[in-house]
Amino acid sequence: MELGSAVRAVRSNRVLVGDEVRPAVIVINDGKVCQILSDRDFSVDAACEVYDVGDSVVMPGIVDSHVHVNEPGRTSWEGFWTATRAAAAGGVTTIVDMPLNSIPPTTTLGNFREKLQEATGQCFVDTAFWGGVIPGNQLELRPMIQAGVAGFKCFLIHSGVDEFPHVTDGDLHSAMKQLQGTGSVLLFHAEREVQPTAEENGDPCQYSTFLQSRPDVMEEEAIRTVTELCLQYQVRCHIVHLSSAKPLKLIEEARQAGAPLTVETTHHYLSLCAENIPAGATQFKCCPPIRGAINQEQLWSALKAGHIDMVVSDHSPCTPDLKKLESGDFTQAWGGISSLQFGLPLFWSSASKRGFQLSDVVRLLSRKTSQLCCLDNQKGSLAPGYDADLVIWDPEREFKIQEANVHHKNKLTPYLGVTLQGVVCATIVRGRLVYRDGSFCPEPLGKHLLLPQRTNQAQL
């Protein structure tokens, strides 16, 4: 089976069909899943080459709905070519690009068109796009919805880049009025400035100094605002990268009161904890911050109970100099963690030890993320009529993350040297073999996913 070629059928002893793992043959036609058959029901067409993957698991490709590609404008940080290759190598068949940190950001129709142009011919996996809400751009929102953005993101605190300013309460009310009735969704970076709880004069090279500067209450206060808005306007709202378990009660109360509200957490909050971050190790810095081990276990419990809906990478790379590794100063370093390529094994390495099943992986990393951006009619499920987006992987096999195997543009990640469980063997996007055993198809085969307008979208 050549890379880039159309796959007509995939056979495995371990296909995840619904919640059940069983031997099956997936028949593919015109990039879609056509049938899922047992071996005895599958008659081999002489012209149909079967891609037999033995005991490797076959399941829907990962849909990572939180990726910062940074193109145009900051392609030294990442870019569509490298980001989507890294995605393919990690079994991610769809990414959704954040409206920052590209220059210009995706905050106007013109800027969105510029980003689409930049991405054309560069994507190895399918790519959708978030727009952004910033002060004064409320009249751009509906034109961007009509042009196909998946929804919008805003910040309730400084975003880290000046060209994407955070919103005031007044901006939020203006945006919400524009989004009512559109079926679109507003994503929130949910931290708010609060009165400093202590003197911020600790050692900037100690992680604890940075952690104390972003206490849980910053997330709690922001999420209180989000829940009130969500209930008032009944516009779908989504909290990105929840790091503190403390606001979960607020979120659950709002949902029970009828708020169409969803929440994600990330691989780094589930895999890394504050107690283990060495002095000066600024590759661990992100906002909101990685918190302690007790908080991490509370996130896992919430995930198991269904109080957290999905898990994403929040892949947010930069050039090595911006991480200030020489000084090791957490207060000055760029906040962002690179993990797009490693989300599936990162999640599985921890989740499998906590009683999560393969069906949970698909629900949290593929199906719920597809629903968030209204791609769930074509992505995130292995069923007839859906895009034939497949990850083929060995959940039991271990590998060590080494710089030579990292496909992100910048190789710096807190996971270098870490041994994980779960090796991605091959990735299929709409029936085409885009990645296998370290090699990629010769040309990008991904497409742009422009969302048709959907009104009165029901809660996920």
Side-chain angles (χ1 to χ4, degrees), residues 261-284:
L261 178 63
T262 51
V263 57
E264 71 188 29
T265 192
T266 72
H267 301 300
H268 35 275
Y269 302 134
L270 297 172
S271 303
L272 305 170
C273 55
E275 293 87 343
N276 300 333
I277 298 177
T282 53
Q283 65 270 35
F284 288 84

Side-chain angles (χ1 to χ4, degrees), residues 172-190:
L172 286 170
H173 287 288
S174 297
M176 283 295 201
K177 286 169 186 163
Q178 291 296 317
L179 296 180
Q180 275 185 312
T182 64
S184 196
V185 59
L186 183 55
L187 282 53
F188 292 82
H189 178 120

Side-chain angles (χ1 to χ4, degrees), residues 28 30-33 60-61 94 126 375 377-390 428-431 447 449:
I28 300 168
D30 199 23
K32 302 273 185 189
V33 175
T94 299
D126 286 353
L375 290 168
N377 61 340
Q378 53 185 308
K379 304 288 187 188
S381 295
L382 178 47
Y386 278 77
D387 286 353
D389 293 348
L390 307 173
I428 292 171
V429 176
R430 281 177 290 102
K447 72 173 184 180
L449 301 169

Side-chain angles (χ1 to χ4, degrees), residues 31-51:
K32 302 273 185 189
V33 175
C34 184
Q35 292 174 293
I36 302 169
L37 302 171
S38 66
D39 243 356
R40 68 175 180 275
D41 293 335
F42 177 68
S43 55
V44 180
D45 179 341
C48 175
E49 182 186 353
V50 178
Y51 185 25

Side-chain angles (χ1 to χ4, degrees), residues 37 49 55 159 186 212 249 256 273 298 354 364-366 372 386 422 436 438:
L37 302 171
E49 182 186 353
D55 289 326
S159 71
L186 183 55
Q212 285 162 18
K249 188 169 180 288
Q256 285 169 4
C273 55
Q298 291 169 335
R354 290 175 166 86
L364 295 165
L365 272 64
S366 302
L372 173 68
Y386 278 77
R436 184 178 57 207

Side-chain angles (χ1 to χ4, degrees), residues 181-237:
T182 64
S184 196
V185 59
L186 183 55
L187 282 53
F188 292 82
H189 178 120
E191 287 181 289
R192 278 213 133 147
E193 293 287 3
V194 295
Q195 291 300 316
T197 49
E199 288 298 313
E200 294 181 19
N201 55 3
D203 179 354
C205 296
Q206 291 296 326
Y207 182 73
S208 57
T209 303
F210 168 63
L211 180 56
Q212 285 162 18
S213 75
R214 313 280 291 215
D216 302 74
V217 68
M218 292 176 68
E219 291 189 78
E220 288 181 281
E221 287 308 309
I223 286 169
R224 186 171 281 109
T225 297
V226 175
T227 58
E228 289 166 1
L229 281 163
C230 192
L231 281 165
Q232 178 182 347
Y233 287 97
Q234 290 295 309
V235 167
R236 283 199 303 142
C237 294

Side-chain angles (χ1 to χ4, degrees), residues 99-172:
L100 73 167
N101 302 302
S102 56
I103 303 173
T106 317
T107 50
T108 70
L109 181 59
N111 292 356
F112 178 40
R113 286 178 174 150
E114 187 175 339
K115 179 167 276 189
L116 289 174
Q117 200 171 341
E118 291 286 332
T120 300
Q122 290 211 73
C123 297
F124 286 78
V125 301
D126 286 353
T127 305
F129 303 86
W130 296 114
V133 170
I134 59 170
N137 82 328
Q138 65 269 23
L139 296 183
E140 294 282 351
L141 305 185
R142 290 192 174 211
M144 280 197 277
I145 291 170
Q146 285 158 4
V149 296
F152 299 91
K153 182 187 187 180
C154 68
F155 276 72
L156 301 182
I157 195 170
H158 193 281
S159 71
V161 293
D162 292 338
E163 68 277 359
F164 198 99
H166 64 285
V167 288
T168 64
D169 286 352
D171 299 320
L172 286 170

Side-chain angles (χ1 to χ4, degrees), residues 63 65 130 150 183 185 236 238 262 309-310 363 365-381 386 451 454 457-460:
V63 176
S65 56
W130 296 114
V185 59
R236 283 199 303 142
H238 177 75
T262 51
D309 301 287
M310 62 197 81
R363 176 173 52 86
L365 272 64
S366 302
R367 199 166 69 243
K368 287 291 186 177
T369 48
S370 298
Q371 286 175 2
L372 173 68
C373 32
C374 293
L375 290 168
D376 51 310
N377 61 340
Q378 53 185 308
K379 304 288 187 188
S381 295
Y386 278 77
L451 280 295
R454 284 166 66 164
Q457 175 69 24
Q459 185 181 354
L460 301 189

